[in-house]
Amino acid sequence: MYDPEVLRSLHVSRYKSEPEIFAAPGRVNLIGEHTDYAEGFVMPAAIDFATLAGISPRDDGKIVIYSENFKEERVFDARSLPKSGSKDWSDYPLGAMVMLAGEGHRIPGLSLSLLGDVPLGSGLSSSAAVEVATALAVTSLVGVDYARPKLARLCQRAENEFVGANCGIMDQFISANGAEDHALLLDCRDLSFRLAPIPANVALVIANTMVKHSVAGGEYTTRRAEVEEAAAVIARHRPEVRFLRDATVEDLHKWGAEMSPNALKRARHVITENTRTVAAADALIDHDLKELGRLMAEAHVSYSQDFEASCVEADTMVMLAHSQPGLIGARLTGGGFGGCTINLVEQGKANEFRDGLAASYASETGIVPQIHVCHASSGAHRVIASLSH
Ligand code: GLA
């Protein structure tokens, strides 16, 4: 995470006022992919890459948003906010404000500056980090205190309704609720969760394939539609099944022939992934790292072959991980079609693992990857109080 002092001084020099500063992390998902919008289970962890948001009030009725990453500023009128996004980076912070306005809060004039180190387009939820940091900053300015699950829902709606990306709840939830040194098993039906400690001798090694990923892209939406098609077929026979969370492999044996071949495969991934995700949380809690690694390997095969959300580079990165020292488990993480792999690695071998994987991936693909040894971090929080208070 960037030093908050960097953001503070750029905010003060641009806007001549002391900001309150908030941070919201990106995330890595250990297991449970494309299960969140099927009301299933996911097990992400917040990571030590984050977006910082600095906020201060203005008296001219303007909403001014500056991104240090894009080195651009956008200006809006607080009394007439747009109804939908304009395919711009500002959609994410603005979307969070528009949703808050929709909840009946009057959004005052404000200056918001953003600075983040979550790599963009790499499946580590840079957009959720911006939304959650902004929502926390603006609720604080307005003087309301949202419970974290509610804050996460609001940010998911910003993404669904304002940005126009049909994501589930996972990314915003973990960014708002992450816990240091823990993964979080989330039941996406009722947002109840269980924390699973990540042992001190286990490193989270995140390997970027450098293939760009986007939730707004067509493939994510197509997969979601296929998952929903499968659920609708099962519901014709078992009306109590509204989401694949409630379906079984047996349902697929009985009625899979009524689905398109793709819907059948996608459903098989989602149904088996839900079972694996709950089992993986148990394995982590029981310190059964061998079982956890086995479940991650199985999850990758299912994601690649049944869900067809991998790519040659991600399959190569996972395959090569298996010949590096200290590997516990590896799989493609996040929405798919590029982005990063998550590798659980014995802490003492993490650097050796990182260097070996980087070299073999570069020689195999010709692409120089970025590989980060991360650790599970806390969720969104206030960083420093305004010095003027
Ligand atoms: C993206 C979405 C999430 C989730 C994952 C896949 O990260 O934003 O809601 O669906 O993909 O597990």
Side-chain angles (χ1 to χ4, degrees):
M1 189 170 95
Y2 278 108
D3 181 350
E5 198 47 45
V6 175
L7 180 72
R8 182 189 158 269
S9 73
L10 82 83
H11 189 98
V12 169
S13 68
R14 278 190 94 81
Y15 301 118
K16 314 289 175 246
S17 61
E18 281 291 341
E20 301 274 354
I21 299 182
F22 299 83
R27 66 98 186 93
V28 69
N29 191 18
L30 304 193
I31 192 165
E33 230 60 88
H34 282 256
T35 45
D36 59 353
Y37 55 76
E39 295 204 345
F41 295 90
V42 294
M43 190 165 66
I47 54 176
D48 35 5
F49 289 116
T51 291
L52 293 172
I55 195 163
S56 59
R58 310 174 58 98
D59 53 18
D60 60 0
K62 287 183 182 148
I63 289 179
V64 181
I65 309 176
Y66 174 72
S67 163
E68 174 66 5
N69 296 79
F70 288 93
K71 301 243 177 324
E72 286 175 351
E73 186 177 81
R74 300 283 183 265
V75 181
F76 303 91
D77 179 349
R79 280 147 311 189
S80 68
L81 293 170
K83 300 257 173 307
S84 58
S86 56
K87 308 258 173 289
D88 185 54
W89 60 263
S90 61
D91 290 356
Y92 299 97
L94 190 62
M97 294 185 217
V98 169
M99 291 304 129
L100 275 169
E103 296 275 297
H105 303 296
R106 198 185 62 79
I107 310 295
L110 58 88
S111 304
L112 181 79
S113 41
L114 299 168
L115 170 66
D117 61 2
V118 188
L120 299 184
S122 51
L124 299 178
S125 296
S126 52
S127 45
V130 171
E131 292 152 2
V132 172
T134 302
L136 203 55
V138 178
T139 47
S140 165
L141 185 72
V142 170
V144 289
D145 190 10
Y146 271 39
R148 291 310 171 90
K150 189 174 171 194
L151 193 81
R153 270 283 183 234
L154 183 109
C155 292
Q156 182 200 10
R157 284 184 39 227
E159 186 124 358
N160 295 164
E161 296 169 26
F162 192 84
V163 175
N166 214 5
C167 66
I169 185 70
M170 170 168 68
D171 307 345
Q172 292 78 11
F173 195 91
I174 187 67
S175 182
N177 295 278
E180 180 103 26
D181 297 326
H182 287 76
L184 186 152
L185 174 71
L186 175 66
D187 180 340
C188 299
R189 168 154 286 167
D190 61 8
L191 302 187
S192 59
F193 63 87
R194 198 150 57 107
L195 290 177
I198 297 178
N201 59 344
V202 176
L204 305 181
V205 181
I206 297 174
N208 193 340
T209 62
M210 312 306 278
V211 177
K212 282 279 175 203
H213 142 99
S214 157
V215 171
E219 298 277 28
Y220 184 94
T221 311
T222 313
R223 292 299 181 282
R224 185 166 178 163
E226 288 163 347
V227 165
E228 285 163 2
E229 177 198 327
V233 169
I234 297 169
R236 291 209 289 260
H237 303 277
R238 290 213 294 132
E240 69 275 20
V241 175
R242 290 184 44 242
F243 295 92
L244 286 186
R245 153 70 176 274
D246 303 305
T248 62
V249 172
E250 207 194 354
D251 292 330
L252 298 182
H253 291 150
K254 286 190 185 148
W255 302 304
E258 295 174 29
M259 300 168 190
S260 67
N262 274 353
L264 173 59
K265 286 164 77 178
R266 309 312 182 226
R268 193 163 55 212
H269 165 76
V270 172
I271 292 169
T272 58
E273 184 84 344
N274 273 326
T275 309
R276 277 189 294 272
T277 302
V278 175
D282 289 339
L284 194 52
I285 288 165
D286 295 346
H287 286 262
D288 188 348
L289 298 180
K290 196 158 172 243
E291 174 65 357
L292 179 61
R294 191 191 68 73
L295 290 162
M296 288 174 75
E298 205 177 283
H300 183 77
V301 172
S302 172
Y303 204 32
S304 177
Q305 295 182 3
D306 273 347
F307 212 72
E308 295 181 281
S310 190
C311 58
V312 179
E313 293 84 354
D315 286 344
T316 304
M317 190 75 95
V318 168
M319 185 204 46
L320 294 171
H322 284 275
S323 32
Q324 305 307 321
L327 181 77
I328 295 162
R331 50 177 290 281
L332 172 60
T333 186
F337 314 102
C340 294
T341 66
I342 169 68
N343 304 269
L344 297 189
V345 179
E346 290 167 34
Q347 183 71 58
K349 302 210 171 116
N351 290 344
E352 210 187 322
F353 176 94
R354 178 195 57 205
D355 297 346
L357 184 59
S360 55
Y361 183 76
S363 87
E364 190 78 25
T365 62
I367 304 169
V368 177
Q370 281 168 5
I371 306 188
H372 314 280
V373 179
C374 292
H375 94 274
S377 306
S378 54
H381 55 279
R382 178 191 295 258
V383 181
I384 44 169
S386 166
L387 300 180
S388 61
H389 287 177

